[in-house]
Amino acid sequence: MAAKAKNSIPQFTWSTAEPAPLVLVTGAESFLADRATQRIRESLRAVDASLEVSDIDASSYTPGQLLTLASPSLFGEPRLIRVSDVEKCNDEFLLEMLDYVASPDRDTTVVLRHNGGVRGKKLLDTLRAGTGGAVEVVCAELKSDNDKYDFAAQEFRHAGRNISPSALRSLVQAFSGSGSELANACQQLIADAQGEITDRTVEDYYGGRVEATAFKVVDNAVAGRLGDSLVILRHALQTGADPVPIVATFAAKLRLMAKLFGERRNAGELAGALGAAPWQIDRARKDLQGWTETGLGNAIEVIAETDANVKGASRDPIYSLERMVNVVARYGRR
Protein backbone atom coordinates (compact mmCIF):
# COMPACT_ATOMS: atom_id res chain seq x y z
CA MET A 1 0.00 0.00 0.00
CA ALA A 2 1.29 3.43 -0.88
CA ALA A 3 1.68 6.31 1.54
CA LYS A 4 -1.47 8.27 2.35
CA ALA A 5 -2.13 11.44 0.43
CA LYS A 6 -3.60 14.63 1.92
CA ASN A 7 -6.81 12.88 2.86
CA SER A 8 -7.83 10.31 5.42
CA ILE A 9 -8.35 7.23 3.23
CA PRO A 10 -5.78 4.62 2.17
CA GLN A 11 -4.33 4.94 -1.32
CA PHE A 12 -3.23 2.13 -3.60
CA THR A 13 -1.61 1.83 -7.01
CA TRP A 14 -3.29 -0.09 -9.84
CA SER A 15 -1.18 -3.18 -9.09
CA THR A 16 -2.01 -3.24 -5.36
CA ALA A 17 -5.73 -2.42 -5.59
CA GLU A 18 -7.87 -4.26 -3.05
CA PRO A 19 -11.65 -4.58 -2.51
CA ALA A 20 -13.43 -2.22 -0.13
CA PRO A 21 -17.07 -1.16 0.26
CA LEU A 22 -16.26 1.91 -1.85
CA VAL A 23 -13.28 2.14 -4.22
CA LEU A 24 -12.51 5.46 -5.91
CA VAL A 25 -10.36 4.97 -9.02
CA THR A 26 -8.69 8.18 -10.22
CA GLY A 27 -5.88 9.18 -12.58
CA ALA A 28 -5.18 9.72 -16.26
CA GLU A 29 -4.38 6.17 -17.38
CA SER A 30 -7.67 4.46 -18.25
CA PHE A 31 -6.03 1.14 -19.08
CA LEU A 32 -4.49 1.09 -15.60
CA ALA A 33 -7.92 1.83 -14.14
CA ASP A 34 -9.22 -1.19 -16.06
CA ARG A 35 -6.41 -3.33 -14.62
CA ALA A 36 -7.19 -2.12 -11.09
CA THR A 37 -10.88 -2.95 -11.48
CA GLN A 38 -10.01 -6.34 -12.94
CA ARG A 39 -7.75 -7.04 -9.96
CA ILE A 40 -10.56 -6.16 -7.53
CA ARG A 41 -13.02 -8.39 -9.41
CA GLU A 42 -10.57 -11.32 -9.37
CA SER A 43 -9.96 -10.86 -5.63
CA LEU A 44 -13.69 -10.95 -4.92
CA ARG A 45 -14.26 -13.98 -7.16
CA ALA A 46 -11.40 -15.83 -5.46
CA VAL A 47 -13.35 -15.53 -2.20
CA ASP A 48 -16.78 -16.31 -3.68
CA ALA A 49 -17.25 -17.50 -7.26
CA SER A 50 -20.93 -16.51 -7.16
CA LEU A 51 -19.99 -12.81 -7.33
CA GLU A 52 -22.58 -10.73 -9.22
CA VAL A 53 -21.09 -8.01 -11.42
CA SER A 54 -23.12 -5.00 -12.63
CA ASP A 55 -22.26 -1.80 -14.50
CA ILE A 56 -23.62 1.73 -14.16
CA ASP A 57 -22.97 4.72 -16.40
CA ALA A 58 -23.12 7.73 -14.07
CA SER A 59 -23.75 10.13 -16.96
CA SER A 60 -27.05 8.42 -17.90
CA TYR A 61 -28.06 7.19 -14.46
CA THR A 62 -31.73 6.50 -13.74
CA PRO A 63 -33.14 6.99 -10.21
CA GLY A 64 -33.16 3.84 -8.07
CA GLN A 65 -30.61 1.97 -10.19
CA LEU A 66 -27.89 1.87 -7.53
CA LEU A 67 -30.18 0.75 -4.71
CA THR A 68 -31.69 -1.98 -6.87
CA LEU A 69 -28.27 -3.42 -7.76
CA ALA A 70 -26.90 -3.09 -4.22
CA SER A 71 -29.93 -4.62 -2.51
CA PRO A 72 -29.32 -7.98 -0.77
CA SER A 73 -30.14 -10.90 -3.04
CA LEU A 74 -32.19 -13.95 -2.11
CA PHE A 75 -29.12 -16.18 -1.80
CA GLY A 76 -26.77 -13.54 -0.37
CA GLU A 77 -24.25 -13.46 -3.21
CA PRO A 78 -21.61 -10.71 -2.98
CA ARG A 79 -21.93 -7.92 -5.53
CA LEU A 80 -19.51 -5.75 -7.51
CA ILE A 81 -20.92 -2.57 -9.05
CA ARG A 82 -18.63 -0.80 -11.55
CA VAL A 83 -19.53 2.84 -12.09
CA SER A 84 -18.06 4.66 -15.11
CA ASP A 85 -18.01 8.36 -16.08
CA VAL A 86 -18.39 9.69 -12.54
CA GLU A 87 -16.83 12.95 -13.77
CA LYS A 88 -19.90 13.29 -16.05
CA CYS A 89 -22.49 12.15 -13.50
CA ASN A 90 -26.01 13.55 -13.57
CA ASP A 91 -27.71 15.06 -10.53
CA GLU A 92 -29.74 11.94 -9.80
CA PHE A 93 -26.63 9.79 -9.48
CA LEU A 94 -24.85 12.35 -7.30
CA LEU A 95 -27.73 12.59 -4.85
CA GLU A 96 -28.30 8.85 -4.55
CA MET A 97 -24.59 8.03 -4.36
CA LEU A 98 -24.06 10.53 -1.55
CA ASP A 99 -26.93 8.88 0.37
CA TYR A 100 -25.45 5.42 -0.29
CA VAL A 101 -21.96 6.43 0.87
CA ALA A 102 -23.36 7.28 4.30
CA SER A 103 -24.35 3.62 4.79
CA PRO A 104 -22.93 1.24 2.14
CA ASP A 105 -24.02 -2.39 1.96
CA ARG A 106 -21.43 -4.67 3.57
CA ASP A 107 -21.73 -7.36 0.87
CA THR A 108 -21.32 -4.91 -2.03
CA THR A 109 -18.19 -3.37 -3.54
CA VAL A 110 -18.79 -0.19 -5.55
CA VAL A 111 -15.92 0.89 -7.84
CA LEU A 112 -16.23 4.52 -8.97
CA ARG A 113 -14.13 5.59 -11.94
CA HIS A 114 -13.44 9.35 -12.05
CA ASN A 115 -11.31 10.58 -14.96
CA GLY A 116 -10.74 14.08 -13.58
CA GLY A 117 -12.45 17.45 -13.56
CA VAL A 118 -14.66 19.25 -11.05
CA ARG A 119 -17.93 17.44 -11.65
CA GLY A 120 -18.67 15.15 -8.72
CA LYS A 121 -16.23 16.99 -6.44
CA LYS A 122 -18.62 16.82 -3.49
CA LEU A 123 -18.73 13.04 -3.83
CA LEU A 124 -14.95 12.79 -4.08
CA ASP A 125 -14.48 15.02 -1.04
CA THR A 126 -16.94 12.89 0.93
CA LEU A 127 -15.17 9.66 -0.01
CA ARG A 128 -11.73 11.10 0.71
CA ALA A 129 -12.91 12.26 4.12
CA GLY A 130 -13.23 8.59 5.04
CA THR A 131 -17.02 8.22 4.84
CA GLY A 132 -18.23 4.69 4.14
CA GLY A 133 -14.85 2.97 4.45
CA ALA A 134 -13.62 4.14 1.05
CA VAL A 135 -10.16 3.62 -0.45
CA GLU A 136 -8.59 5.30 -3.47
CA VAL A 137 -6.68 3.71 -6.35
CA VAL A 138 -4.49 6.27 -8.14
CA CYS A 139 -3.72 5.36 -11.77
CA ALA A 140 -1.03 7.91 -12.54
CA GLU A 141 0.33 8.29 -16.06
CA LEU A 142 3.25 6.03 -16.97
CA LYS A 143 5.88 8.61 -17.86
CA SER A 144 9.30 7.00 -17.56
CA ASP A 145 10.65 3.93 -19.34
CA ASN A 146 11.14 2.43 -15.89
CA ASP A 147 7.42 2.85 -15.16
CA LYS A 148 6.52 1.19 -18.46
CA TYR A 149 9.00 -1.63 -17.88
CA ASP A 150 7.53 -2.32 -14.43
CA PHE A 151 4.00 -2.25 -15.85
CA ALA A 152 4.82 -4.69 -18.66
CA ALA A 153 6.67 -7.03 -16.28
CA GLN A 154 3.61 -7.04 -14.01
CA GLU A 155 1.33 -7.90 -16.95
CA PHE A 156 3.32 -11.05 -17.77
CA ARG A 157 3.81 -11.96 -14.10
CA HIS A 158 0.09 -11.65 -13.42
CA ALA A 159 -0.67 -13.92 -16.39
CA GLY A 160 1.89 -16.48 -15.20
CA ARG A 161 3.96 -16.08 -18.36
CA ASN A 162 7.74 -15.95 -18.69
CA ILE A 163 9.41 -13.30 -20.83
CA SER A 164 13.16 -12.80 -21.12
CA PRO A 165 14.53 -9.45 -19.85
CA SER A 166 15.85 -8.49 -23.29
CA ALA A 167 12.51 -9.32 -24.94
CA LEU A 168 10.72 -7.22 -22.35
CA ARG A 169 13.07 -4.29 -23.01
CA SER A 170 12.50 -4.56 -26.76
CA LEU A 171 8.75 -4.62 -26.29
CA VAL A 172 8.79 -1.56 -24.01
CA GLN A 173 11.06 0.32 -26.39
CA ALA A 174 8.83 -0.47 -29.35
CA PHE A 175 5.73 0.90 -27.60
CA SER A 176 7.31 3.55 -25.36
CA GLY A 177 5.15 6.30 -26.82
CA SER A 178 1.81 4.89 -25.64
CA GLY A 179 0.99 3.05 -22.44
CA SER A 180 -2.29 1.73 -23.84
CA GLU A 181 -0.56 0.35 -26.95
CA LEU A 182 2.04 -1.30 -24.71
CA ALA A 183 -0.75 -2.86 -22.64
CA ASN A 184 -2.44 -4.20 -25.79
CA ALA A 185 0.88 -5.58 -27.09
CA CYS A 186 1.47 -7.40 -23.81
CA GLN A 187 -2.01 -8.92 -23.89
CA GLN A 188 -1.60 -10.06 -27.50
CA LEU A 189 1.63 -11.89 -26.67
CA ILE A 190 0.05 -13.41 -23.56
CA ALA A 191 -2.93 -14.64 -25.59
CA ASP A 192 -1.19 -15.80 -28.77
CA ALA A 193 2.46 -16.69 -28.06
CA GLN A 194 3.35 -20.15 -26.85
CA GLY A 195 5.97 -20.95 -24.19
CA GLU A 196 8.56 -18.46 -23.00
CA ILE A 197 8.44 -15.12 -24.78
CA THR A 198 11.87 -14.40 -26.23
CA ASP A 199 13.51 -11.79 -28.44
CA ARG A 200 12.50 -13.87 -31.44
CA THR A 201 8.86 -13.86 -30.29
CA VAL A 202 8.79 -10.08 -30.01
CA GLU A 203 10.57 -9.81 -33.36
CA ASP A 204 8.02 -12.10 -35.04
CA TYR A 205 5.04 -10.10 -33.73
CA TYR A 206 6.38 -6.56 -33.77
CA GLY A 207 9.55 -6.73 -35.86
CA GLY A 208 8.76 -3.73 -38.04
CA ARG A 209 7.81 -1.66 -35.04
CA VAL A 210 10.89 -2.68 -33.06
CA GLU A 211 13.36 -2.12 -35.87
CA ALA A 212 12.03 1.34 -36.65
CA THR A 213 12.21 2.76 -33.15
CA ALA A 214 14.44 5.60 -32.01
CA PHE A 215 16.06 3.17 -29.57
CA LYS A 216 17.39 1.02 -32.40
CA VAL A 217 18.75 4.12 -34.13
CA VAL A 218 20.57 5.36 -31.04
CA ASP A 219 21.81 1.91 -29.96
CA ASN A 220 23.50 1.38 -33.32
CA ALA A 221 24.88 4.91 -33.38
CA VAL A 222 26.51 4.84 -29.93
CA ALA A 223 28.08 1.49 -30.83
CA GLY A 224 29.70 3.06 -33.91
CA ARG A 225 27.52 1.24 -36.48
CA LEU A 226 26.88 4.26 -38.70
CA GLY A 227 25.47 2.38 -41.71
CA ASP A 228 22.96 0.36 -39.68
CA SER A 229 21.89 3.43 -37.73
CA LEU A 230 21.23 5.47 -40.88
CA VAL A 231 19.28 2.64 -42.53
CA ILE A 232 17.00 2.27 -39.48
CA LEU A 233 16.62 6.05 -39.19
CA ARG A 234 15.51 6.41 -42.82
CA HIS A 235 13.10 3.50 -42.49
CA ALA A 236 11.64 5.05 -39.34
CA LEU A 237 11.14 8.40 -41.06
CA GLN A 238 9.58 6.76 -44.13
CA THR A 239 7.06 4.97 -41.90
CA GLY A 240 5.99 8.21 -40.23
CA ALA A 241 8.28 8.54 -37.21
CA ASP A 242 8.49 12.04 -35.73
CA PRO A 243 12.05 13.49 -35.62
CA VAL A 244 11.46 15.23 -32.27
CA PRO A 245 11.18 12.08 -30.08
CA ILE A 246 14.10 10.53 -31.99
CA VAL A 247 16.31 13.43 -30.92
CA ALA A 248 14.90 13.21 -27.39
CA THR A 249 15.91 9.55 -27.24
CA PHE A 250 19.46 10.43 -28.31
CA ALA A 251 19.57 13.17 -25.67
CA ALA A 252 18.37 10.87 -22.86
CA LYS A 253 20.85 8.15 -23.84
CA LEU A 254 23.91 10.40 -24.13
CA ARG A 255 23.12 12.34 -20.97
CA LEU A 256 22.89 9.12 -18.97
CA MET A 257 26.20 7.98 -20.46
CA ALA A 258 27.77 11.31 -19.52
CA LYS A 259 26.51 11.03 -15.93
CA LEU A 260 28.03 7.54 -15.68
CA PHE A 261 31.41 8.49 -17.15
CA GLY A 262 33.97 7.79 -14.41
CA GLU A 263 31.25 6.72 -11.95
CA ARG A 264 32.23 3.65 -9.90
CA ARG A 265 29.11 2.98 -7.82
CA ASN A 266 27.00 -0.04 -8.75
CA ALA A 267 23.73 0.16 -10.69
CA GLY A 268 21.58 -0.46 -7.62
CA GLU A 269 23.11 2.50 -5.77
CA LEU A 270 22.79 4.82 -8.78
CA ALA A 271 19.27 3.89 -9.88
CA GLY A 272 17.44 6.23 -7.52
CA ALA A 273 19.90 9.11 -7.91
CA LEU A 274 19.79 9.04 -11.72
CA GLY A 275 16.13 8.10 -12.16
CA ALA A 276 17.02 5.10 -14.31
CA ALA A 277 16.47 1.37 -13.92
CA PRO A 278 19.54 -0.76 -13.05
CA TRP A 279 19.38 -2.47 -16.46
CA GLN A 280 19.46 0.93 -18.18
CA ILE A 281 22.56 1.87 -16.17
CA ASP A 282 24.28 -1.41 -17.01
CA ARG A 283 23.45 -0.96 -20.69
CA ALA A 284 24.71 2.64 -20.72
CA ARG A 285 27.98 1.54 -19.12
CA LYS A 286 28.52 -1.00 -21.90
CA ASP A 287 27.77 1.72 -24.44
CA LEU A 288 30.55 3.90 -22.99
CA GLN A 289 33.16 1.63 -24.50
CA GLY A 290 35.16 3.69 -27.01
CA TRP A 291 33.85 7.04 -25.79
CA THR A 292 35.83 9.90 -24.24
CA GLU A 293 34.62 12.74 -22.06
CA THR A 294 35.30 15.21 -24.88
CA GLY A 295 33.42 13.04 -27.36
CA LEU A 296 30.39 12.86 -25.08
CA GLY A 297 30.41 16.65 -24.71
CA ASN A 298 30.61 17.17 -28.47
CA ALA A 299 27.81 14.70 -29.11
CA ILE A 300 25.52 16.34 -26.55
CA GLU A 301 26.16 19.77 -28.13
CA VAL A 302 25.25 18.44 -31.58
CA ILE A 303 22.11 16.79 -30.18
CA ALA A 304 21.05 20.12 -28.66
CA GLU A 305 21.57 21.85 -32.03
CA THR A 306 19.59 19.11 -33.77
CA ASP A 307 16.76 19.45 -31.26
CA ALA A 308 16.42 23.14 -32.19
CA ASN A 309 16.63 22.34 -35.90
CA VAL A 310 13.89 19.69 -35.91
CA LYS A 311 11.66 22.09 -33.97
CA GLY A 312 11.83 24.74 -36.66
CA ALA A 313 15.29 26.33 -36.57
CA SER A 314 16.31 24.64 -39.83
CA ARG A 315 14.58 24.16 -43.17
CA ASP A 316 16.22 20.76 -43.54
CA PRO A 317 15.62 18.81 -40.30
CA ILE A 318 16.41 15.47 -41.97
CA TYR A 319 19.95 16.66 -42.79
CA SER A 320 20.34 17.71 -39.14
CA LEU A 321 19.21 14.28 -37.98
CA GLU A 322 21.65 12.46 -40.24
CA ARG A 323 24.48 14.78 -39.17
CA MET A 324 23.68 14.00 -35.52
CA VAL A 325 23.79 10.27 -36.22
CA ASN A 326 27.14 10.69 -38.00
CA VAL A 327 28.67 12.54 -35.05
CA VAL A 328 27.38 10.06 -32.47
CA ALA A 329 28.49 7.05 -34.55
CA ARG A 330 32.00 8.58 -34.68
CA TYR A 331 32.04 8.74 -30.86
CA GLY A 332 31.57 12.50 -30.79
CA ARG A 333 34.17 13.40 -33.40
CA ARG A 334 32.82 16.17 -35.64
Side-chain angles (χ1 to χ4, degrees):
M1 186 172 69
K4 291 185 181 181
K6 294 181 180 179
N7 56 56
S8 59
I9 63 174
Q11 284 194 323
F12 298 85
T13 64
W14 69 272
S15 62
T16 60
E18 295 180 2
L22 298 158
V23 182
L24 174 62
V25 181
T26 59
E29 293 286 17
S30 293
F31 70 95
L32 292 184
D34 291 341
R35 295 295 188 278
T37 304
Q38 178 184 352
R39 180 183 174 89
I40 291 168
R41 184 187 66 208
E42 290 173 353
S43 296
L44 291 169
R45 279 219 167 112
V47 174
D48 192 331
S50 65
L51 176 73
E52 292 183 358
V53 181
S54 305
D55 293 290
I56 292 175
D57 183 341
S59 65
S60 58
Y61 181 80
T62 56
Q65 192 176 3
L66 175 63
L67 294 180
T68 298
L69 294 174
S71 295
S73 67
L74 181 62
F75 299 103
E77 298 94 343
R79 289 166 299 283
L80 169 63
I81 301 174
R82 301 176 297 196
V83 185
S84 61
D85 292 335
V86 176
E87 75 285 353
K88 302 175 185 175
C89 67
N90 58 29
D91 292 339
E92 289 81 1
F93 172 82
L94 189 56
L95 289 171
E96 292 194 5
M97 192 69 223
L98 285 168
D99 285 341
Y100 180 82
V101 167
S103 182
D105 183 82
R106 62 184 180 85
D107 293 321
T108 301
T109 297
V110 180
V111 177
L112 300 130
R113 172 64 176 136
H114 194 287
N115 285 286
V118 298
R119 182 65 177 163
K121 184 177 183 300
K122 184 177 180 180
L123 174 60
L124 268 60
D125 290 344
T126 301
L127 293 169
R128 287 170 172 160
T131 306
V135 301
E136 183 171 4
V137 179
V138 181
C139 299
E141 184 180 0
L142 299 180
K143 293 183 177 180
S144 70
D145 286 341
N146 198 24
D147 289 340
K148 295 182 177 73
Y149 186 90
D150 289 344
F151 165 75
Q154 177 69 20
E155 288 283 270
F156 290 101
R157 191 179 306 117
H158 183 70
R161 298 297 303 278
N162 293 324
I163 180 169
S164 71
S166 58
L168 187 59
R169 287 196 294 271
S170 293
L171 186 65
V172 171
Q173 289 171 357
F175 293 93
S176 63
S178 170
S180 59
E181 287 187 4
L182 175 61
N184 291 335
C186 291
Q187 289 304 310
Q188 182 179 6
L189 288 176
I190 289 167
D192 297 345
Q194 302 297 315
E196 182 181 10
I197 298 167
T198 63
D199 289 312
R200 180 58 184 270
T201 313
V202 175
E203 187 74 20
D204 288 344
Y205 278 82
Y206 304 114
R209 180 87 181 231
V210 172
E211 288 299 323
T213 62
F215 295 94
K216 288 288 185 179
V217 181
V218 70
D219 286 347
N220 279 278
V222 298
R225 296 188 290 270
L226 175 60
D228 291 341
S229 187
L230 286 174
V231 167
I232 298 169
L233 171 66
R234 288 162 185 161
H235 175 66
L237 294 171
Q238 288 170 1
T239 55
D242 185 347
V244 173
I246 292 176
V247 178
T249 303
F250 269 81
K253 182 80 162 184
L254 270 293
R255 283 173 186 153
L256 179 58
M257 290 168 61
K259 290 176 183 177
L260 290 170
F261 194 87
E263 179 62 69
R264 301 301 180 193
R265 286 178 291 172
N266 64 47
E269 293 178 282
L270 290 168
L274 299 182
W279 67 265
Q280 291 173 311
I281 293 172
D282 290 337
R283 177 62 185 270
R285 276 188 163 141
K286 290 180 182 178
D287 291 332
L288 278 169
Q289 196 168 25
W291 283 85
T292 65
E293 191 171 9
T294 300
L296 285 168
N298 289 339
I300 289 171
E301 286 181 6
V302 171
I303 290 168
E305 294 169 6
T306 307
D307 184 62
N309 288 338
V310 299
K311 291 178 180 176
S314 170
R315 285 181 291 182
D316 193 352
I318 304 306
Y319 169 78
S320 296
L321 272 174
E322 293 187 345
R323 176 174 173 268
M324 175 188 71
V325 171
N326 270 276
V327 171
V328 173
R330 293 201 300 270
Y331 301 102
R333 294 189 293 272
R334 301 194 190 214

